[in-house]
Amino acid sequence: MRIGIADTTFARYDMGAAAIDELKKNASDLKIIRVTVPGVKDLPVASKKLIEEEGCEIVMALGMPGPMEKDKMCAHEASTGLINAQLMTNTHILEVFVHEDEEEDPVELKKLAENRAREHAQNLIKMMYHRKAMRKEAEENTRNKCWNLLF
């Protein structure tokens, strides 16, 4: 199975490496193809090329948009581009963005970025190999247990 990893140079943490490490820990028959592009708006075409030119069956697009309003707009545009690339290729592209203003403390931001990359890598494994497990989690509302405690 060919997995694409598209990440950016503008991230403050190497989310691509964390995702690849998690994938390798949980699946042995993967061929991982990684490309790095300047920023989040470059991720849609990088992801599409991984699918069409490299034969990837699924792609993770990882980025870390900045805290400014223009950064949020760029992230939205990138997200829209990733959706379009999915529809054009009929292939899943898992968007894994961590916005810099999600956490003020740089140490906590790094932890957040690493955890998000790893959790999405685990979801990718479930999507490709364990669809029933993912469905079971949805049925049991496993992901939202903390949310449910609030209400």
Side-chain angles (χ1 to χ4, degrees):
M1 174 162 306
R2 296 171 75 86
I3 306 294
I5 301 290
D7 64 350
T8 70
T9 60
F10 280 100
R12 294 176 60 192
Y13 175 73
D14 189 353
M15 294 169 61
I20 290 168
D21 181 62
E22 193 68 27
L23 290 168
K24 287 181 176 180
K25 283 181 181 177
N26 290 288
S28 59
D29 61 340
L30 301 178
K31 176 164 174 67
I32 298 170
I33 301 165
R34 181 178 183 179
V35 296
T36 303
V37 295
V40 293
K41 291 187 295 183
D42 302 302
L43 289 171
V45 72
S47 299
K48 187 173 181 281
K49 289 177 78 158
L50 282 167
I51 294 162
E52 292 180 344
E53 296 176 12
E54 299 293 338
C56 292
E57 297 174 53
I58 192 166
V59 173
M60 290 181 71
L62 304 111
M64 189 175 279
M68 306 294 287
E69 190 59 38
K70 64 182 174 184
D71 299 321
K72 294 180 188 309
M73 183 178 289
C74 287
H76 178 269
E77 296 297 326
S79 183
T80 301
L82 290 169
I83 292 167
N84 285 329
Q86 289 182 82
L87 294 172
M88 287 189 288
T89 61
N90 201 31
T91 304
H92 288 286
I93 300 170
L94 303 184
E95 177 185 312
V96 188
F97 287 179
V98 173
H99 296 260
E100 283 188 35
D101 59 358
E102 287 186 63
E103 184 58 62
E104 288 185 28
D105 180 3
V107 173
E108 293 301 314
L109 181 64
K110 180 180 177 180
K111 286 181 192 174
L112 175 67
E114 179 167 359
N115 289 339
R116 189 160 299 159
R118 290 183 181 280
E119 288 169 0
H120 278 73
Q122 292 167 9
N123 282 337
L124 183 148
I125 296 290
K126 289 175 194 170
M127 288 177 72
M128 300 307 290
Y129 297 103
H130 310 291
R131 290 188 179 269
K132 289 181 182 177
M134 185 168 263
R135 184 177 311 121
K136 184 177 181 191
E137 286 179 10
E139 290 168 355
E140 294 175 354
N141 207 14
T142 303
R143 184 171 182 217
N144 296 319
K145 283 185 179 176
C146 293
W147 178 261
N148 291 338
L149 293 174
L150 298 173
F151 296 98

